[in-house]
PDB file of all heavy atoms in Angstrom:
ATOM      1  N   ALA T  79       8.161-326.843 -78.017  1.00  0.00           N
ATOM      2  CA  ALA T  79       7.388-327.950 -77.498  1.00  0.00           C
ATOM      3  C   ALA T  79       8.342-329.105 -77.207  1.00  0.00           C
ATOM      4  O   ALA T  79       9.234-329.427 -77.992  1.00  0.00           O
ATOM      5  CB  ALA T  79       6.390-328.398 -78.595  1.00  0.00           C
ATOM      6  N   LEU T  80       8.185-329.720 -76.007  1.00  0.00           N
ATOM      7  CA  LEU T  80       9.118-330.714 -75.590  1.00  0.00           C
ATOM      8  C   LEU T  80       8.596-332.133 -75.667  1.00  0.00           C
ATOM      9  O   LEU T  80       9.341-333.066 -75.562  1.00  0.00           O
ATOM     10  CB  LEU T  80       9.532-330.427 -74.137  1.00  0.00           C
ATOM     11  CG  LEU T  80      10.218-329.067 -73.867  1.00  0.00           C
ATOM     12  CD1 LEU T  80      10.440-328.873 -72.371  1.00  0.00           C
ATOM     13  CD2 LEU T  80      11.496-329.019 -74.665  1.00  0.00           C
ATOM     14  N   CYS T  81       7.237-332.285 -75.831  1.00  0.00           N
ATOM     15  CA  CYS T  81       6.669-333.597 -75.959  1.00  0.00           C
ATOM     16  C   CYS T  81       5.313-333.520 -76.590  1.00  0.00           C
ATOM     17  O   CYS T  81       4.648-332.539 -76.581  1.00  0.00           O
ATOM     18  CB  CYS T  81       6.619-334.291 -74.578  1.00  0.00           C
ATOM     19  SG  CYS T  81       5.471-333.592 -73.384  1.00  0.00           S
ATOM     20  N   ALA T  82       4.909-334.675 -77.081  1.00  0.00           N
ATOM     21  CA  ALA T  82       3.554-334.765 -77.689  1.00  0.00           C
ATOM     22  C   ALA T  82       2.534-334.663 -76.584  1.00  0.00           C
ATOM     23  O   ALA T  82       2.820-334.895 -75.393  1.00  0.00           O
ATOM     24  CB  ALA T  82       3.444-336.171 -78.345  1.00  0.00           C
ATOM     25  N   PRO T  83       1.368-334.167 -76.879  1.00  0.00           N
ATOM     26  CA  PRO T  83       0.783-334.014 -78.229  1.00  0.00           C
ATOM     27  C   PRO T  83       1.133-332.720 -78.881  1.00  0.00           C
ATOM     28  O   PRO T  83       0.653-332.423 -80.017  1.00  0.00           O
ATOM     29  CB  PRO T  83      -0.706-334.142 -77.984  1.00  0.00           C
ATOM     30  CG  PRO T  83      -0.875-333.590 -76.622  1.00  0.00           C
ATOM     31  CD  PRO T  83       0.383-333.955 -75.847  1.00  0.00           C
ATOM     32  N   ALA T  84       1.904-331.839 -78.313  1.00  0.00           N
ATOM     33  CA  ALA T  84       2.285-330.577 -78.942  1.00  0.00           C
ATOM     34  C   ALA T  84       3.525-330.720 -79.785  1.00  0.00           C
ATOM     35  O   ALA T  84       4.514-331.329 -79.312  1.00  0.00           O
ATOM     36  CB  ALA T  84       2.482-329.476 -77.888  1.00  0.00           C
ATOM     37  N   TYR T  85       3.487-330.177 -81.012  1.00  0.00           N
ATOM     38  CA  TYR T  85       4.628-330.243 -81.860  1.00  0.00           C
ATOM     39  C   TYR T  85       5.119-328.846 -82.276  1.00  0.00           C
ATOM     40  O   TYR T  85       6.251-328.682 -82.716  1.00  0.00           O
ATOM     41  CB  TYR T  85       4.340-331.091 -83.103  1.00  0.00           C
ATOM     42  CG  TYR T  85       4.012-332.520 -82.763  1.00  0.00           C
ATOM     43  CD1 TYR T  85       2.737-332.938 -82.691  1.00  0.00           C
ATOM     44  CD2 TYR T  85       5.032-333.384 -82.454  1.00  0.00           C
ATOM     45  CE1 TYR T  85       2.467-334.294 -82.347  1.00  0.00           C
ATOM     46  CE2 TYR T  85       4.766-334.757 -82.124  1.00  0.00           C
ATOM     47  CZ  TYR T  85       3.469-335.105 -82.066  1.00  0.00           C
ATOM     48  OH  TYR T  85       3.171-336.435 -81.709  1.00  0.00           O
ATOM     49  N   GLU T  86       4.258-327.878 -82.116  1.00  0.00           N
ATOM     50  CA  GLU T  86       4.563-326.486 -82.478  1.00  0.00           C
ATOM     51  C   GLU T  86       4.909-325.777 -81.214  1.00  0.00           C
ATOM     52  O   GLU T  86       4.323-325.969 -80.123  1.00  0.00           O
ATOM     53  CB  GLU T  86       3.343-325.793 -83.140  1.00  0.00           C
ATOM     54  CG  GLU T  86       2.995-326.488 -84.470  1.00  0.00           C
ATOM     55  CD  GLU T  86       4.053-326.282 -85.505  1.00  0.00           C
ATOM     56  OE1 GLU T  86       4.686-325.193 -85.567  1.00  0.00           O
ATOM     57  OE2 GLU T  86       4.257-327.263 -86.231  1.00  0.00           O
ATOM     58  N   PRO T  87       5.835-324.761 -81.282  1.00  0.00           N
ATOM     59  CA  PRO T  87       6.154-323.958 -80.118  1.00  0.00           C
ATOM     60  C   PRO T  87       5.004-323.004 -79.712  1.00  0.00           C
ATOM     61  O   PRO T  87       4.140-322.757 -80.524  1.00  0.00           O
ATOM     62  CB  PRO T  87       7.372-323.194 -80.558  1.00  0.00           C
ATOM     63  CG  PRO T  87       7.247-323.052 -82.002  1.00  0.00           C
ATOM     64  CD  PRO T  87       6.566-324.371 -82.464  1.00  0.00           C
ATOM     65  N   VAL T  88       5.068-322.461 -78.534  1.00  0.00           N
ATOM     66  CA  VAL T  88       4.166-321.369 -78.176  1.00  0.00           C
ATOM     67  C   VAL T  88       4.857-320.066 -78.578  1.00  0.00           C
ATOM     68  O   VAL T  88       6.063-320.017 -78.660  1.00  0.00           O
ATOM     69  CB  VAL T  88       3.807-321.384 -76.678  1.00  0.00           C
ATOM     70  CG1 VAL T  88       2.952-322.576 -76.321  1.00  0.00           C
ATOM     71  CG2 VAL T  88       5.033-321.318 -75.784  1.00  0.00           C
ATOM     72  N   VAL T  89       4.049-319.053 -78.753  1.00  0.00           N
ATOM     73  CA  VAL T  89       4.532-317.726 -79.148  1.00  0.00           C
ATOM     74  C   VAL T  89       5.254-317.037 -77.949  1.00  0.00           C
ATOM     75  O   VAL T  89       4.569-316.845 -76.952  1.00  0.00           O
ATOM     76  CB  VAL T  89       3.470-316.838 -79.755  1.00  0.00           C
ATOM     77  CG1 VAL T  89       3.982-315.468 -80.118  1.00  0.00           C
ATOM     78  CG2 VAL T  89       2.806-317.547 -80.953  1.00  0.00           C
ATOM     79  N   ASN T  90       6.506-316.678 -78.151  1.00  0.00           N
ATOM     80  CA  ASN T  90       7.198-315.898 -77.075  1.00  0.00           C
ATOM     81  C   ASN T  90       7.069-314.437 -77.340  1.00  0.00           C
ATOM     82  O   ASN T  90       7.015-314.024 -78.484  1.00  0.00           O
ATOM     83  CB  ASN T  90       8.681-316.294 -77.052  1.00  0.00           C
ATOM     84  CG  ASN T  90       8.903-317.579 -76.300  1.00  0.00           C
ATOM     85  OD1 ASN T  90       8.533-318.634 -76.764  1.00  0.00           O
ATOM     86  ND2 ASN T  90       9.480-317.481 -75.131  1.00  0.00           N
ATOM     87  N   PHE T  91       7.130-313.611 -76.286  1.00  0.00           N
ATOM     88  CA  PHE T  91       7.063-312.189 -76.369  1.00  0.00           C
ATOM     89  C   PHE T  91       8.242-311.555 -75.644  1.00  0.00           C
ATOM     90  O   PHE T  91       8.820-312.173 -74.744  1.00  0.00           O
ATOM     91  CB  PHE T  91       5.718-311.707 -75.700  1.00  0.00           C
ATOM     92  CG  PHE T  91       4.552-312.183 -76.408  1.00  0.00           C
ATOM     93  CD1 PHE T  91       3.588-312.948 -75.744  1.00  0.00           C
ATOM     94  CD2 PHE T  91       4.248-311.946 -77.766  1.00  0.00           C
ATOM     95  CE1 PHE T  91       2.431-313.459 -76.358  1.00  0.00           C
ATOM     96  CE2 PHE T  91       3.126-312.378 -78.362  1.00  0.00           C
ATOM     97  CZ  PHE T  91       2.177-313.160 -77.714  1.00  0.00           C
ATOM     98  N   PRO T  92       8.542-310.331 -76.066  1.00  0.00           N
ATOM     99  CA  PRO T  92       9.662-309.646 -75.378  1.00  0.00           C
ATOM    100  C   PRO T  92       9.350-309.252 -73.912  1.00  0.00           C
ATOM    101  O   PRO T  92       8.138-309.054 -73.622  1.00  0.00           O
ATOM    102  CB  PRO T  92       9.901-308.388 -76.250  1.00  0.00           C
ATOM    103  CG  PRO T  92       8.620-308.152 -76.872  1.00  0.00           C
ATOM    104  CD  PRO T  92       7.949-309.510 -77.102  1.00  0.00           C
ATOM    105  N   VAL T  93      10.337-309.181 -73.117  1.00  0.00           N
ATOM    106  CA  VAL T  93      10.224-308.722 -71.705  1.00  0.00           C
ATOM    107  C   VAL T  93      11.273-307.683 -71.452  1.00  0.00           C
ATOM    108  O   VAL T  93      12.387-307.788 -71.932  1.00  0.00           O
ATOM    109  CB  VAL T  93      10.418-309.917 -70.708  1.00  0.00           C
ATOM    110  CG1 VAL T  93      10.419-309.443 -69.316  1.00  0.00           C
ATOM    111  CG2 VAL T  93       9.407-310.996 -70.946  1.00  0.00           C
ATOM    112  N   LYS T  94      10.921-306.655 -70.739  1.00  0.00           N
ATOM    113  CA  LYS T  94      11.949-305.692 -70.241  1.00  0.00           C
ATOM    114  C   LYS T  94      11.665-305.421 -68.775  1.00  0.00           C
ATOM    115  O   LYS T  94      10.552-305.492 -68.327  1.00  0.00           O
ATOM    116  CB  LYS T  94      11.940-304.427 -71.103  1.00  0.00           C
ATOM    117  CG  LYS T  94      10.687-303.535 -70.882  1.00  0.00           C
ATOM    118  CD  LYS T  94      10.869-302.210 -71.675  1.00  0.00           C
ATOM    119  CE  LYS T  94       9.685-301.340 -71.468  1.00  0.00           C
ATOM    120  NZ  LYS T  94       9.816-300.048 -72.230  1.00  0.00           N
ATOM    121  N   VAL T  95      12.711-305.131 -68.093  1.00  0.00           N
ATOM    122  CA  VAL T  95      12.691-304.785 -66.667  1.00  0.00           C
ATOM    123  C   VAL T  95      13.247-303.330 -66.565  1.00  0.00           C
ATOM    124  O   VAL T  95      14.394-303.085 -66.948  1.00  0.00           O
ATOM    125  CB  VAL T  95      13.429-305.782 -65.776  1.00  0.00           C
ATOM    126  CG1 VAL T  95      13.399-305.289 -64.322  1.00  0.00           C
ATOM    127  CG2 VAL T  95      12.840-307.127 -65.896  1.00  0.00           C
ATOM    128  N   GLU T  96      12.451-302.475 -66.065  1.00  0.00           N
ATOM    129  CA  GLU T  96      12.865-301.091 -65.855  1.00  0.00           C
ATOM    130  C   GLU T  96      12.318-300.587 -64.533  1.00  0.00           C
ATOM    131  O   GLU T  96      11.131-300.783 -64.189  1.00  0.00           O
ATOM    132  CB  GLU T  96      12.261-300.129 -66.963  1.00  0.00           C
ATOM    133  CG  GLU T  96      12.965-300.293 -68.284  1.00  0.00           C
ATOM    134  CD  GLU T  96      12.364-299.328 -69.293  1.00  0.00           C
ATOM    135  OE1 GLU T  96      11.354-298.698 -69.056  1.00  0.00           O
ATOM    136  OE2 GLU T  96      12.997-299.189 -70.397  1.00  0.00           O
ATOM    137  N   ASP T  97      13.195-300.015 -63.734  1.00  0.00           N
ATOM    138  CA  ASP T  97      12.804-299.469 -62.436  1.00  0.00           C
ATOM    139  C   ASP T  97      12.078-300.492 -61.600  1.00  0.00           C
ATOM    140  O   ASP T  97      11.018-300.222 -60.976  1.00  0.00           O
ATOM    141  CB  ASP T  97      11.955-298.208 -62.558  1.00  0.00           C
ATOM    142  CG  ASP T  97      12.693-297.089 -63.334  1.00  0.00           C
ATOM    143  OD1 ASP T  97      13.920-296.942 -63.054  1.00  0.00           O
ATOM    144  OD2 ASP T  97      12.092-296.359 -64.106  1.00  0.00           O
ATOM    145  N   ASP T  98      12.571-301.717 -61.554  1.00  0.00           N
ATOM    146  CA  ASP T  98      12.022-302.853 -60.793  1.00  0.00           C
ATOM    147  C   ASP T  98      10.580-303.190 -61.198  1.00  0.00           C
ATOM    148  O   ASP T  98       9.840-303.738 -60.406  1.00  0.00           O
ATOM    149  CB  ASP T  98      12.084-302.535 -59.303  1.00  0.00           C
ATOM    150  CG  ASP T  98      13.476-302.392 -58.803  1.00  0.00           C
ATOM    151  OD1 ASP T  98      14.370-303.178 -59.206  1.00  0.00           O
ATOM    152  OD2 ASP T  98      13.738-301.600 -57.911  1.00  0.00           O
ATOM    153  N   LYS T  99      10.233-302.900 -62.446  1.00  0.00           N
ATOM    154  CA  LYS T  99       8.930-303.286 -63.041  1.00  0.00           C
ATOM    155  C   LYS T  99       9.179-304.146 -64.153  1.00  0.00           C
ATOM    156  O   LYS T  99      10.083-303.980 -65.000  1.00  0.00           O
ATOM    157  CB  LYS T  99       8.192-302.075 -63.497  1.00  0.00           C
ATOM    158  CG  LYS T  99       7.915-301.030 -62.369  1.00  0.00           C
ATOM    159  CD  LYS T  99       6.642-301.388 -61.585  1.00  0.00           C
ATOM    160  CE  LYS T  99       6.257-300.235 -60.697  1.00  0.00           C
ATOM    161  NZ  LYS T  99       6.632-300.410 -59.330  1.00  0.00           N
TER     162      LYS T  99
END
Side-chain angles (χ1 to χ4, degrees):
L80 301 175
C81 67
Y85 297 100
E86 297 295 320
V88 292
V89 178
N90 280 69
F91 297 120
V93 175
K94 71 177 181 177
V95 177
E96 287 183 348
D97 300 323
D98 296 322
K99 302 273 192 260

